[in-house]
Amino acid sequence: TTKSLRTATMDDARDSRLLSNRKKDEIRKKVYRHAFDQCQEEMQAFADCIRGRIFSAAWMCRQQNRTMNDCLHQYTSEEKIAEAIRLEARKGA
C-alpha cells in the first residue's frame, strides 16, 4: 500500500510538472469560479449580514462567515485544486 501511494504521488508530481504555471493558474481560477457559483447563497447571506455594520460584523456575522467559508473550502481546498490540475494534465498527456 505504501508503494502504491508513493507511486501515485510520483505520478501526480509528474503530471503537475507537465503544465505551465500559467495553465495551473487558469485551472485554479476555474476552480474558484466554480466554488463561487456553488456558494452564492452562503455568500449572499454573509453579505446581507455585514451590510451596514462596521465593528459588530465580526461577532454578529460570525456564523454566516463560517458557513460561507466552509462552503468555499469544500471546493477550493488544496486537494481539490491539485486534483483539478492532475485531471487537466492527464487530459493533455
Side-chain angles (χ1 to χ4, degrees):
T1 307
T2 304
K3 185 177 180 181
S4 63
L5 179 60
R6 188 177 314 135
T7 303
T9 302
M10 289 171 40
D11 288 345
D12 292 346
R14 179 185 49 78
D15 289 342
S16 179
R17 285 191 306 266
L18 294 175
L19 296 176
S20 69
N21 286 336
R22 184 176 185 179
K23 183 64 176 175
K24 289 178 192 175
D25 191 47
E26 289 173 11
I27 294 167
R28 194 172 284 109
K29 287 178 182 177
K30 184 177 177 182
V31 168
Y32 281 110
R33 278 193 306 272
H34 176 70
F36 292 155
D37 290 344
Q38 297 301 309
C39 299
Q40 277 296 312
E41 187 176 313
E42 292 82 354
M43 292 169 58
Q44 187 62 52
F46 179 65
D48 291 343
C49 182
I50 64 170
R51 187 171 294 116
R53 298 180 196 270
I54 297 175
F55 299 111
S56 66
W59 64 86
M60 295 296 291
C61 302
R62 185 173 291 148
Q63 184 58 48
Q64 291 88 342
N65 186 33
R66 187 172 295 130
T67 301
M68 178 187 71
N69 284 331
D70 289 346
C71 182
L72 291 170
H73 184 70
Q74 72 180 327
Y75 298 103
T76 61
S77 66
E78 287 299 319
E79 294 83 17
K80 294 287 186 178
I81 293 170
E83 179 182 336
I85 290 171
R86 279 193 303 273
L87 289 173
E88 189 65 30
R90 289 185 180 151
K91 277 199 277 184

